[in-house]
Amino acid sequence: TVTGVQTCALPISAEAPYPFHDYTCGTLGAFGVLLALLERFRTGRGQSVRASLANAAGYLQSRYLFDFAGYERREPEGRSLPGESAASRFHRTADDRYVYVHFATDAGVRALAAIEGSSSLGGSLVSLTDARLAALFATRTADEWVLRLEAAGIGVAVHRSFDELKPDALRRGALVTRHHERFGALTHIGVIPTLSRTQDRKSTRLNS
């Protein structure tokens, strides 16, 4: 049985479209460094930090790697998956864009019902349905929803395409273009966060 990361991007493949375990490993490593610096600040003692791709992948899949009598497998999977539940998923808006909305508690559901004057949502996470939310989010544009939901303390983010994000990413150095001896100019991920005393050491050329 194939489970975990490999089923997140059907058809089942050993290669997911994005190496998210790779990003997670770097993030966990950076978090470990910050914790080590905090410990040094508090106690004056140094720390050893380790991070691995295998452990990062295991961490991402840990919520699914168990079994017991009567367990029903309900892993989120498929490239068209909008989210894990009605309370945490993408919704299409009036301008044919998408917003990701996450309701962490029943209070968030009640807040949405209050600002929209809608009693059909109910007052709890279990009362939410995809159909009710789809009808509601189709009534306003994505930007309008962001303003209204953020004001109500509800987690929301607008889906943006790569073409929308690319100009800002280039400006901030999140993407850089360098020359490759075999393939010519290539645009790839750059060095985003830097420490104040660490010199940026990325080169202008890539080796084949």
Side-chain angles (χ1 to χ4, degrees):
T1 300
V2 179
T3 187
V5 169
Q6 289 188 345
T7 69
C8 292
L10 294 180
I12 293 175
S13 170
E15 295 186 7
Y18 303 104
F20 39 84
H21 61 295
D22 198 353
Y23 305 143
T24 301
C25 181
T27 301
L28 292 175
F31 184 62
V33 170
L34 291 175
L35 290 177
L37 291 173
L38 178 62
E39 180 68 11
R40 188 187 68 174
F41 175 77
R42 289 178 172 177
T43 66
R45 295 193 298 268
Q47 300 290 319
S48 174
V49 177
R50 298 180 181 180
S52 75
L53 289 172
N55 286 339
Y59 170 76
L60 291 172
Q61 301 174 90
S62 59
R63 61 184 294 191
Y64 309 117
L65 300 181
F66 57 88
D67 193 16
F68 54 86
Y71 172 66
E72 295 183 11
R73 178 180 173 275
R74 295 179 180 178
E75 296 185 29
E77 58 187 30
R79 297 184 181 181
S80 61
L81 183 75
E84 295 195 7
S85 68
S88 185
R89 58 160 291 170
F90 279 104
H91 297 281
R92 179 178 288 179
T93 57
D95 52 347
D96 202 28
R97 301 177 72 188
Y98 287 86
V99 292
Y100 197 98
V101 183
H102 177 73
F103 298 94
T105 64
D106 293 345
V109 181
R110 292 192 293 270
L112 177 61
I115 63 175
E116 293 302 308
S118 175
S119 60
S120 64
L121 294 177
S124 65
L125 295 175
V126 296
S127 67
L128 292 177
T129 66
D130 290 338
R132 290 174 179 174
L133 290 174
L136 179 61
F137 281 100
T139 61
R140 302 183 188 276
T141 68
D143 291 338
E144 289 173 336
W145 277 118
V146 169
L147 291 174
R148 296 176 70 83
L149 296 179
E150 285 185 343
I154 300 171
V156 59
V158 178
H159 172 267
R160 302 188 187 280
S161 68
F162 177 75
D163 288 338
E164 291 178 291
L165 295 173
K166 186 175 180 180
D168 183 60
L170 288 169
R171 179 183 58 81
R172 295 187 297 108
L175 292 176
V176 295
T177 299
R178 297 193 290 176
H179 179 77
H180 191 282
E181 295 178 355
R182 181 179 178 184
F183 301 106
L186 293 178
T187 300
H188 62 95
I189 297 174
V191 179
I192 305 173
T194 58
L195 299 177
S196 60
R197 297 181 183 178
T198 302
Q199 184 178 0
D200 187 354
R201 292 176 295 179
K202 63 177 180 287
S203 66
T204 58
R205 295 175 64 87
L206 292 172
N207 296 323
S208 60

